[in-house]
Amino acid sequence: MKIHHIPCLEDNYSYLIVDESTKEAAAVDPVEPEKLLEAANSHGLTLKLVLTTHHHWDHAGGNEKIKQLVPGIKVYGGSIDNVKGCTHKVENGDKVSLGADVTILALHTPCHTQGHISYYVTGKEDEHPAVFTGDTLYSVKNLQFALTLEPDNLRIQQKLAWAQNQRQAGQATIPSTIDDELETNPFMRVDLPELQERVGCKSPVEALGEIRKRKDNWRG
């Protein structure tokens, strides 16, 4: 399994997941489908399917166009997320195969949208898995927001400085790891009493809702 990341829009990424045995590929959130097709062609890949994490335009906005450019391509999206151009709806636990060795597991991860899907992708036994999370896990702007909640969190400070340097150098700020997210992503830290107290809440669920509301109103 190989993964190519393709910068899109101002601060997004789309991805190509490749089964190396067959050169078949899946596109994740191809908001600028021409870029994805150009990358696929440059690597000699056959684009077979689209994995859409959620319905927002900066992730699903290229689905209709890619269906025109690649007739018959399958477009996967969450069953309750109203994904534009979706041909195959998935629910938590559904699996999709790509080529000979790649398996894609759909995980329902509601928060950013109610029907948000993350895709957990595995290849051969000796290859590291990967998970594509759309807007459920974050980068520069979200680290800036995280600092407003935990200004003394050294890991957030360090990761933000690194991410800003990466962006200035024209380099990617992905991938991340679950360990990093647990240390820096407030949406994955709502079980901590100190964070609950900081946002005036008494439970993880209440804190999650409050942080989501603050993020929606935050303009950075």
Side-chain angles (χ1 to χ4, degrees):
M1 178 176 69
K2 184 175 288 187
I3 297 166
H4 301 284
H5 68 269
I6 296 93
C8 292
L9 305 179
E10 181 182 344
D11 59 356
N12 272 31
Y13 292 98
S14 295
Y15 306 89
L16 288 172
I17 304 167
V18 182
D19 175 72
E20 295 184 87
S21 299
T22 62
K23 294 294 185 182
E24 293 184 356
V28 182
D29 291 343
V31 64
E32 295 186 89
E34 293 88 352
K35 284 188 177 182
L36 268 290
L37 281 173
E38 182 180 349
N41 291 335
S42 71
H43 293 288
L45 307 176
T46 302
L47 200 53
K48 288 290 188 179
L49 52 93
V50 168
L51 305 174
T52 312
T53 58
H54 62 293
H55 70 266
H56 290 167
W57 74 269
D58 56 343
H59 291 258
N63 286 355
E64 294 289 4
K65 181 66 174 179
I66 205 167
K67 287 166 68 177
Q68 294 174 11
L69 296 172
V70 187
I73 193 169
K74 298 177 180 178
V75 179
Y76 292 86
S79 62
I80 62 171
D81 208 43
N82 195 30
V83 169
K84 191 173 184 178
C86 182
T87 64
H88 292 68
K89 294 181 179 182
V90 291
E91 298 184 3
N92 187 63
D94 286 349
K95 290 185 178 181
V96 179
S97 294
L98 175 68
D101 300 308
V102 175
T103 300
I104 301 158
L105 173 66
L107 301 173
H108 182 213
T109 48
C111 186
H112 185 66
T113 68
Q114 285 299 309
H116 195 291
I117 296 289
S118 296
Y119 296 96
Y120 181 76
V121 183
T122 54
K124 296 178 180 178
E125 286 188 9
D126 61 341
E127 294 176 329
H128 292 296
V131 61
F132 296 86
T133 59
D135 279 345
T136 294
L137 304 182
Y138 297 93
S139 194
V140 173
K141 291 181 180 178
N142 303 286
L143 289 165
Q144 292 172 338
F145 170 71
L147 269 185
T148 68
L149 300 176
E150 296 185 272
D152 299 324
N153 185 319
L154 184 60
R155 285 287 295 272
I156 297 176
Q157 296 171 13
Q158 292 171 337
K159 189 170 183 181
L160 176 58
W162 170 83
Q164 290 171 327
N165 288 335
Q166 289 289 100
R167 289 290 299 276
Q168 290 171 3
Q171 301 296 315
T173 58
I174 46 88
S176 183
T177 66
I178 297 299
D179 178 63
D180 270 352
E181 297 297 324
L182 288 170
E183 294 292 336
T184 62
N185 186 333
F187 293 99
M188 296 183 69
R189 295 170 59 78
V190 293
D191 59 320
L192 300 177
E194 56 267 33
L195 183 57
Q196 294 172 22
E197 183 178 355
R198 186 174 287 274
V199 296
C201 299
K202 296 182 179 180
S203 74
V205 173
E206 189 181 354
L208 187 65
E210 175 62 24
I211 293 171
R212 180 69 261 172
K213 183 168 66 176
R214 292 190 185 193
K215 180 64 169 61
D216 289 341
N217 294 324
W218 183 75
R219 293 295 175 261

